[in-house]
Amino acid sequence: MNQMLKAKSRIALGLVLAMTAAAPAYAMELNQSQWLTLMQQIRTDKADEGAPLWVSVRVINADVPGWALTFSQRAIPKIHMPAQTMTFPVTDATHLSMLRKGDPVEIEVAKNKGVVRIIDIHMRH
């Protein structure tokens, strides 16, 4: 079962990479799952597939009532990912009110029950 899941993940990643290489404008339209799959390919901690992932981003908007964080990320040429802005739901909105536009933060992202969410946020100073 695990081998089949890995094979499907590789096929999905191949399709995403092919689409981003063939049409860079389309890459800006990655959904949250596609983004997470690509980001896991370059993780440095060699964690198991599906383990939470830490990413450095800049805050664009912290939507406290909507339990969501909009962030920007620099381009990552290694995986053909352009600079982009994305919005992810958060599991805990407690600290969102402390964030301001432009703040550099580390977000921990994981997929749980089919939904990619920010599960932790660390402010960088």
Side-chain angles (χ1 to χ4, degrees):
M1 179 75 166
N2 194 19
Q3 293 288 13
M4 185 169 51
L5 181 59
K6 285 183 179 181
K8 287 182 179 180
S9 294
R10 287 186 183 117
I11 291 169
L13 176 62
L15 289 172
V16 169
L17 290 175
M19 288 186 294
T20 59
Y26 181 80
M28 306 224 341
E29 309 241 351
L30 291 175
N31 68 35
Q32 294 164 345
S33 292
Q34 292 166 328
W35 177 89
L36 182 60
T37 299
L38 286 172
M39 294 302 291
Q40 286 176 332
Q41 296 303 308
I42 60 168
R43 71 184 311 154
T44 57
D45 60 7
K46 305 301 179 205
D48 291 335
E49 187 174 324
L53 173 72
W54 284 97
V55 181
S56 297
V57 300
R58 286 213 177 263
V59 173
I60 298 297
N61 183 52
D63 179 2
V64 178
W67 287 58
L69 179 68
T70 301
F71 61 87
S72 65
Q73 168 194 317
R74 289 189 275 176
I76 306 172
K78 182 176 181 177
I79 55 173
H80 308 286
M81 186 182 291
Q84 58 189 334
T85 299
M86 298 191 77
T87 301
F88 283 18
V90 298
T91 57
D92 182 0
T94 305
H95 300 296
L96 287 181
S97 63
M98 294 186 292
L99 301 176
R100 300 290 175 256
K101 184 175 182 171
D103 282 349
V105 296
E106 300 280 330
I107 57 173
E108 186 177 23
V109 183
K111 190 171 190 175
N112 186 355
K113 297 180 182 173
V115 178
V116 178
R117 297 182 189 279
I118 296 172
I119 61 172
D120 200 359
I121 300 171
H122 288 173
M123 294 183 75
R124 294 185 307 179
H125 302 282

